[in-house]
Amino acid sequence: MSEPLRRRAILAGIGTYLPEKIVSNAEMAERVDTSDEWIVERTGIRQRHFAGRHETCAFMGAAAARGALATAGVAPEDVGAIILATSTPDQAFPSTAVHVQGMLGAKNAFGFDIAAACSGFIYGLGIADGMIRSGQADHILVIGSEVYSRILNFADRGTCVLFGDGAGAVLLSARDVAADGPGILSTHLHSDGTLADILYVDGAVGQPDKPGHLVMNGREVFRHAVTLLASAVNEALTANGITSKDIDWLVPHQANRRIIDGVGRKLGMPQERVVVTVDQHANTSAASIPLALAQAINDGRIKPGQLVLLEALGGGLTWGSALLRL
Ligand code: COA
């Protein structure tokens, strides 16, 4: 008797957008008292992209989404929902997702933004996975798009060297598959609002002192990051009855090379199976995972059928993991 099929959200397409302007560590050192050596040693970052005026959150998100639709061979009219994760939306409302919908001509979709800082893409995958499994939509765009250069305090060398701008998008499509077939296998989402004061933006459109700058207690974030990320990763392994040896690729949120290496070591993952792009993009928050995932798929490292574990942590604190088979 043949095995029953189950409805899953498969990764049907992926696309990215990076702003034209690349800013090296040496150029950052012209703006603040820092050096290439300090930044590389503490973070692994070598350069970042900074958006020009026309490269808004919606512009970049739409560009990445077009790439995802093109690789999937799906028309904009067939998209059922657009979920966009960002901390730097074009406007308080309409949501950036709705602007992207208009730019794409995805007239049959509904769209909304989610605010989960650097964990936004994982949160988006979790929401989209639930919507696809429940039959609410057949094709969902999950987009991370960020222009952190607009909220960085360029007088604070402890934060402004760490972040960059960019966008990444995936198209998730419903497919009936066997147990060992492709698709999102699980997502695990967490937050702890008692840690809100270690990484935040000190303003918003609803506040008198808008728009605000990013503020971070780097040491405290670092202290929590490796432990919480390792716990989210272990949660995914336990829920799926597997060990880290079964994982082909770890695609972590790209905040800091030392955090990435710390989680990799805790997991026992060899460095060759961990995708790292923080050196090229710095921390692009909700965009960092789809940017890294796209690079490793497009250069042929991640292959169809392989098991990929994603993990992220960000302001909130928020954190989580997603396991998917390509
Ligand atoms: N260039 C040169 N020196 C810098 C600097 C910079 N860009 N930023 C900070 N420093 C200095 C500090 O002023 C301090 O100098 P002092 O000892 O004279 O006071 C010294 O470097 C050490 O600062 P500290 O903040 O203790 O450094 P650190 O080893 O904790 O590294 C981070 C700082 C930010 C790299 C590190 O804390 C970190 O990676 N945290 C996690 C951040 C993160 O990933 N956040 C996003 C999560 S989504």
Side-chain angles (χ1 to χ4, degrees):
M1 212 174 75
S2 64
E3 193 198 348
L5 302 180
R6 67 218 61 213
R7 184 176 162 99
R8 274 207 199 125
I10 65 146
L11 194 146
I14 189 160
T16 61
Y17 182 86
L18 285 161
E20 281 162 38
K21 187 178 171 165
I22 296 174
V23 179
S24 67
N25 288 347
E27 287 169 275
M28 290 303 291
E30 290 167 13
R31 298 177 80 158
V32 282
D33 181 15
T34 189
S35 64
D36 179 51
E37 295 72 34
W38 192 95
I39 301 171
V40 171
E41 191 196 310
R42 303 286 176 122
T43 72
I45 295 165
R46 294 185 181 276
Q47 61 174 44
R48 74 284 294 139
H49 293 245
F50 279 163
R53 287 192 73 79
H54 70 290
E55 291 170 316
T56 64
C57 185
F59 174 93
M60 297 197 300
R66 277 187 204 102
L69 291 174
T71 52
V74 170
E77 305 82 59
D78 293 329
V79 175
I82 301 173
I83 302 173
L84 190 142
T86 190
S87 301
T88 49
D90 290 358
Q91 294 172 296
F93 73 84
S95 69
T96 307
V98 166
H99 285 301
V100 168
Q101 177 194 11
M103 290 169 171
L104 297 177
K107 58 180 190 225
N108 298 310
F110 64 91
F112 60 96
D113 291 356
I114 50 172
C118 298
S119 311
F121 185 73
I122 300 279
Y123 271 55
L125 290 183
I127 297 164
D129 181 38
M131 286 170 55
I132 284 182
R133 282 181 199 255
S134 70
Q136 209 170 352
D138 287 336
H139 299 287
I140 302 183
L141 279 166
V142 180
I143 305 168
S145 185
E146 302 279 18
V147 272
Y148 265 52
S149 58
R150 316 259 210 258
I151 55 164
L152 290 176
N153 174 0
F154 283 98
D156 176 12
R157 66 179 180 171
T159 54
C160 72
V161 301
L162 303 177
F163 295 88
D165 302 336
V170 295
L171 183 79
L172 299 179
S173 295
R175 176 90 54 87
D176 292 324
V177 298
D180 61 354
I184 296 181
L185 302 177
S186 69
T187 58
H188 292 93
L189 311 179
H190 297 279
S191 64
D192 181 353
T194 66
L195 297 172
D197 62 346
I198 65 172
L199 177 54
Y200 60 98
V201 176
D202 61 357
V205 286
Q207 290 200 16
D209 54 349
K210 62 170 186 160
H213 286 122
L214 184 145
V215 182
M216 180 175 71
N217 181 335
R219 279 194 184 176
E220 277 301 295
V221 174
F222 199 103
R223 199 167 68 79
H224 289 286
V226 176
T227 317
L228 293 176
L229 286 169
S231 75
V233 158
N234 284 325
E235 199 177 8
L237 298 178
T238 306
N240 290 280
I242 58 173
T243 72
S244 59
K245 292 201 174 56
D246 299 308
I247 304 295
D248 294 300
W249 293 97
L250 178 66
V251 184
H253 167 50
Q254 307 285 318
N256 180 308
R257 181 73 208 230
R258 289 189 298 157
I259 296 175
I260 293 170
D261 289 347
V263 176
R265 267 197 306 274
K266 274 204 167 201
L267 252 181
M269 285 289 283
Q271 278 195 6
E272 316 79 72
R273 291 199 279 135
V274 181
V275 178
V276 177
T277 52
V278 71
D279 52 327
Q280 305 146 51
H281 306 153
N283 182 348
T284 56
S285 193
S288 93
I289 290 179
L291 280 167
L293 187 61
Q295 189 176 97
I297 289 174
N298 293 339
D299 69 18
R301 273 179 290 167
I302 299 182
K303 297 182 176 56
Q306 289 190 324
L307 205 51
V308 180
L309 186 55
L310 316 176
E311 43 91 336
L313 173 133
L317 291 183
T318 56
W319 68 99
S321 61
L323 183 70
L324 81 142
R325 192 176 290 286
L326 262 288

